[in-house]
Amino acid sequence: MTVAVISILALAVIVILGSIRNDLNIGIFALAFAYLIGFFLKGMSSSEVSVLFPSDLFLMLVGITLMSYISLLNGTLEKIAGLVILISKGKPQLMPLIIFGSAFFLSALGAGNIAATALVAPFAITLASKERLNIMLIIIMICTGANAGTFSPVATTGIINIGLMSKIGIDPDLMTTKIFLYAAFIQSLTAAAAYFIFKGYSSGKNKKSPDSIGDKYDLLNSKQWITLFAAVMLFAAVLFFHIPVGLASFTLASILFLLKIAPTEKVIREIPWGVILLVTGITVLIGMIERSGGMDLAATFIASNSSLTYINGLLAFVSGIFSVFSSSSGVVMPAIISLLPDLISKFGGGDISKMIIAVDVGSHMVDVSPLSILGAICLSVLPAGESKSVIFRKLLLWGLSMSFVGALLSLILLDRFFL
C-alpha cells in the first residue's frame, strides 16, 4: 500500500470518526495522522511537517472571530436580531422573508452561519410558534439565510474559503466577491422555493395570538453603535478596498479594546478555539496528502469516472452527501477544494471558479438537517408545544434532499449556464 493511499485512508478514517463521535475534535487526530505519516512514512522532520500549518488562515480566523465575539458579548448582534424580528410583527406573510434577510445580514456582516443562526433562531422560532406560522418554513429560512451570507469575506466560512483559495494558488481578490454573490443567489433560490412550497404567502390568514412577543425595543447604546460602525468598516475595507482580513480585523479589534467596547480577556476566552483547531488540523493533513501524492491519485480516479459536462453537479452532490455526516467548512471544503487544481489538470481544462462555487454551495445546502449544527440549534430551541421528533424527521428529509437540489442547480447554473 502506497503512502498516497494511506494518507487518503487516514482522512477517510477521520471523517468517519467525526461522524460517529461528536465529542471528539478530529482536528487533533488530523494533526496526529499528519505527523505519523510525515515522520515514519515520508522521512520528514517535525519542523518540516509544521511548515504545513496554515498560519495565514489561523491568523485570519482569530482576527475575524475577535470582531465577531466583541459584537456578541456586548449585545450588538442580539439587539440587531431583536430589531429585525420585531419589524416583522404584524406582517405574517413577510415574516419568513424578513427572518431570512436578518439571518443573511448578521451572517454576512461577520457573525457567520452558526452565530447568526444562534442569534436569530430563539426569537424567530418562538415568534413563529406564537403566531402559528409554519415552523419548518421558519427553520429553513433561518438556516438558508445564514448560509447565504456565510461566504462573505468577513464571515468565518468566507475566511476559510479565502485561505483555501490562497493555498491552491488562486488570488482571492479576484473571486471572493463573485463566490459570495453566486453562493448567496443559489441559496436564495432554495429559500424562495421553500416559501412557496410551505405557502408562506398565506401566513396572513393565521390569527395573531394575544401573547405575542412585545413591541418594546431598546436602542443600541454608544458602545454598540461603535461596534456596528466597526463591523461595517471591516466589511467595506475587505470587500471594496481589498485590505487583508487579518490586517483589518486585528486593527479594528485593537481599537475597540482600547475603547473598552468589550472585555478583552472574556472575548479571547470565548473564541471557538476548537473550531479553529479543527479547520487548521484538517488543512495540515490535506497538505500531507498533497505531499504524498494522494490528491493526484484522487483526481485521477474522479477524472476517469466523470466528465467536464457535469463535473460541477457531481462536486455539489458529493460535497452535500459528505457534509451530512461531517463539518461543511472544517472537513468537506478543505478536502475537496484542495483537490480541484489536480482535477483540472487531469481533465485538461475546466473553470475552477465554478468548481469552488459548486463545492461551497453543495456542502452548505444540507445544513438544514438536524445532524448539522444549524439544524440542531433550531431543533434545540423549539417551544414545548412543537413535536421535536416530527420536526427532526422533516428537517432530515429536507437536508438530504438538498444534496440532490444542490447538484441539480449546479448542473443547470454552472455546467450549462454560468450566471
Side-chain angles (χ1 to χ4, degrees):
M1 187 180 295
T2 65
V3 179
V5 173
I6 292 173
S7 63
I8 293 175
L9 289 177
L11 179 61
V13 168
I14 285 174
V15 171
I16 294 171
L17 186 63
S19 67
I20 61 177
R21 288 287 302 275
N22 294 329
D23 60 317
L24 299 176
N25 187 315
I26 58 175
I28 298 172
F29 291 83
L31 286 169
F33 275 128
Y35 273 107
L36 289 170
I37 293 170
F39 189 81
F40 289 106
L41 301 181
K42 293 284 293 178
M44 299 169 64
S45 66
S46 60
S47 59
E48 288 175 322
V49 176
S50 300
V51 170
L52 299 175
F53 185 82
S55 54
D56 286 344
L57 176 60
F58 173 81
L59 290 173
M60 284 191 293
L61 286 172
V62 173
I64 204 66
T65 50
L66 277 173
M67 287 294 294
S68 296
Y69 277 84
I70 289 172
S71 303
L72 282 169
L73 292 179
N74 70 10
T76 303
L77 292 180
E78 184 178 359
K79 280 195 177 180
I80 294 173
L83 174 61
V84 295
I85 297 301
L86 186 63
I87 291 172
S88 68
K89 281 180 56 61
K91 307 176 184 67
Q93 71 278 12
L94 296 181
M95 201 174 292
L97 302 179
I98 294 174
I99 287 171
F100 172 88
S102 65
F104 172 84
F105 175 75
L106 290 172
S107 180
L109 201 58
N113 54 355
I114 296 175
T117 300
L119 285 167
V120 175
F123 290 95
I125 293 176
T126 300
L127 182 59
S129 179
K130 291 183 176 182
E131 300 290 349
R132 295 196 287 276
L133 301 178
N134 190 303
I135 295 294
M136 267 294 295
L137 173 60
I138 297 304
I139 293 177
I140 291 170
M141 288 295 179
I142 295 169
C143 297
T144 306
N147 274 336
T150 200
F151 286 98
S152 157
V154 297
T156 305
T157 304
I159 297 300
I160 293 172
N161 212 37
I162 290 172
L164 293 173
M165 287 191 289
S166 299
K167 187 172 179 291
I168 61 176
I170 296 175
D171 184 358
D173 289 342
L174 301 177
M175 291 182 56
T176 299
T177 303
K178 180 168 70 174
I179 290 174
F180 169 43
L181 295 177
Y182 287 164
F185 173 73
I186 294 175
Q187 289 275 7
S188 298
L189 289 179
T190 63
Y195 184 78
F196 286 99
I197 290 172
F198 293 100
K199 299 181 179 178
Y201 52 83
S202 65
S203 298
K205 298 177 182 179
N206 295 332
K207 294 180 180 179
K208 295 178 68 177
S209 49
D211 58 345
S212 292
I213 294 175
D215 295 321
K216 293 183 179 180
Y217 177 75
D218 294 328
L219 295 176
L220 275 68
N221 59 37
S222 58
K223 290 185 177 181
Q224 291 164 345
W225 277 115
I226 293 172
T227 303
L228 181 59
F229 177 74
V232 173
M233 289 294 293
L234 173 63
F235 189 89
V238 174
L239 191 59
F240 301 115
F241 299 100
H242 306 296
I243 296 175
V245 176
L247 168 61
S249 57
F250 275 110
T251 301
L252 288 168
S254 299
I255 294 172
L256 293 178
F257 286 138
L258 279 174
L259 297 175
K260 296 184 178 181
I261 300 300
T264 305
E265 290 298 326
K266 188 173 182 181
V267 170
I268 293 174
R269 285 197 304 269
E270 292 295 325
I271 289 178
W273 297 108
V275 174
I276 295 174
L277 178 59
L278 166 65
V279 174
T280 53
I282 290 291
T283 303
V284 172
L285 180 58
I286 295 298
M288 184 57 66
I289 293 174
E290 290 176 340
R291 290 282 186 95
S292 304
M295 286 301 177
D296 183 70
L297 184 65
T300 300
F301 176 80
I302 294 175
S304 61
N305 291 278
S306 60
S307 167
L308 272 177
T309 58
Y310 58 83
I311 186 59
N312 294 302
L314 177 63
L315 287 171
F317 177 74
V318 171
S319 300
I321 292 296
F322 283 174
S323 292
V324 172
F325 306 103
S326 57
S327 170
S328 301
S329 56
V331 177
V332 177
M333 283 170 52
I336 300 183
I337 289 177
S338 299
L339 178 68
L340 298 183
D342 285 334
L343 188 58
I344 288 178
S345 177
K346 299 299 179 184
F347 276 127
D351 190 328
I352 198 165
S353 63
K354 294 182 183 181
M355 294 181 177
I356 292 174
I357 293 170
V359 174
D360 290 346
V361 172
S363 62
H364 283 74
M365 284 181 66
V366 302
D367 285 350
V368 177
S369 162
L371 301 179
S372 75
I373 295 177
L374 305 193
I377 289 172
C378 293
L379 196 66
S380 68
V381 297
L382 281 177
E386 303 291 339
S387 173
K388 288 193 176 183
S389 60
V390 172
I391 298 298
F392 180 93
R393 289 194 297 271
K394 289 182 178 180
L395 288 177
L396 183 60
L397 180 61
W398 182 273
L400 289 172
S401 71
M402 285 300 103
S403 61
F404 296 94
V405 173
L408 180 61
L409 288 175
S410 296
L411 182 66
I412 295 171
L413 298 175
L414 301 178
D415 286 315
R416 297 293 180 264
F417 311 101
F418 191 47
L419 304 174

